[in-house]
């Protein structure tokens, strides 16, 4: 495992190397533009492939091994006690960025009143972000301006990535 060596594509988006905190031959881990909880990060295949079901066996293994390592790190770094791993595979499963990615969220007691609300939060946050950045999103979504304000700056994202990258040196 190594520190970021280059920028990567995430669907139509460019992920700067300063936002990538770990990479393997086939996958990379990066901080989230709009985290649902502090420490919510993403692991993606290096190859731009929309559907998880289309990854090769090697890509699947590489992606999930990195997700496991990242999970250990973000749980520790965030002083959390549990983890949510989630994949929205396809538009009608809530996927807003057409490039395979695993969501890793550090979880704490009481962070959501009902545990399953975390999945609504992942889905809703992506829809709001897609609308605010002009990307495709399901119609009829209410734009939550408070949520929009939580979109982070490149400096904020780079600072978090620099902290997390220390665990992978
Ligand atoms: P999904 O709806 O499952 O496709 O999730 C997309 C995720 O990508 C959400 O958590 C977004 O906050 C995140 N995201 C979208 N654009 C970017 C970006 N440019 N950099 C980092 N994260 C992003």
């Amino acid at each position: 495992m190594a520190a970021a060596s280059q920028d990567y594509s995430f669907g139509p988006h460019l992920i700067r190397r300063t936002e990538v905190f770990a990479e393997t031959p086939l996958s990379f881990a990066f901080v989230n533009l709009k985290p649902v909880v502090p420490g919510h990060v993403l692991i993606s295949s290096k190859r731009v492939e929309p559907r998880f079901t289309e990854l090769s066996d090697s890509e699947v293994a590489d992606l999930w091994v990195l997700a496991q390592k990242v999970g250990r790190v973000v749980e520790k770094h965030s002083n959390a006690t549990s983890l949510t791993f989630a994949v929205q595979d396809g538009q009608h499963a809530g996927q807003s960025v057409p490039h395979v990615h695993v969501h890793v969220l550090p979880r704490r007691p009481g962070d959501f009143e009902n545990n399953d609300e975390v999945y609504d939060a992942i889905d809703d946050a992506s829809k709001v972000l897609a609308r605010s950045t002009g990307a495709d999103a399901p119609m009829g979504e209410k734009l939550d301006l408070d949520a929009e304000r939580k979109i982070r700056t490149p400096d904020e994202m780079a600072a978090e990535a620099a902290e997390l990258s220390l665990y992978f040196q």
Side-chain angles (χ1 to χ4, degrees):
M1 198 165 307
S5 59
Q6 61 180 81
D7 297 340
Y8 288 105
S9 292
F10 176 44
H13 309 294
L14 179 77
I15 304 300
R16 300 174 197 85
R17 60 187 295 178
T18 52
E19 294 160 12
V20 178
F21 59 88
E23 68 176 323
T24 58
L26 301 177
S27 314
F28 65 105
F30 57 106
V31 297
N32 201 318
L33 181 60
K34 187 177 179 304
V36 163
V37 294
H40 173 191
V41 298
L42 301 167
I43 297 95
S44 198
S45 54
K46 286 186 176 174
R47 183 167 68 86
V48 180
E49 166 55 54
R51 296 297 308 275
F52 177 75
T53 42
E54 296 301 318
L55 293 184
S56 70
D57 290 358
S58 301
E59 287 173 316
V60 170
D62 190 272
L63 184 78
W64 281 103
V65 168
L66 181 57
Q68 183 197 44
K69 289 180 171 34
V70 167
R72 285 192 199 113
V73 161
V74 294
E75 182 175 324
K76 180 177 175 190
H77 188 69
S78 307
N79 292 318
T81 51
S82 298
L83 294 166
T84 293
F85 294 86
V87 177
Q88 305 199 109
D89 188 32
Q91 183 186 0
H92 301 123
Q95 185 180 21
S96 60
V97 178
H99 183 164
V100 177
H101 52 283
V102 179
H103 295 256
V104 182
L105 291 83
R107 300 294 308 279
R108 302 167 188 79
D111 53 2
F112 290 90
E113 193 173 334
N114 299 305
N115 182 57
D116 283 358
E117 288 170 6
V118 70
Y119 300 106
D120 289 337
I122 291 169
D123 198 23
D124 289 348
S126 303
K127 287 172 185 164
V128 169
L129 184 56
R131 292 196 64 175
S132 64
T133 57
D136 284 342
M139 299 299 291
E141 289 301 317
K142 184 168 170 281
L143 190 58
D144 180 342
L145 295 175
D146 181 55
E148 256 196 292
R149 279 196 289 274
K150 292 174 195 151
I151 292 174
R152 302 193 299 167
T153 66
D155 284 350
E156 287 172 321
M157 294 170 76
E160 184 188 18
E163 288 176 14
L164 294 176
S165 69
L166 296 175
Y167 293 91
F168 294 93
Q169 287 174 349

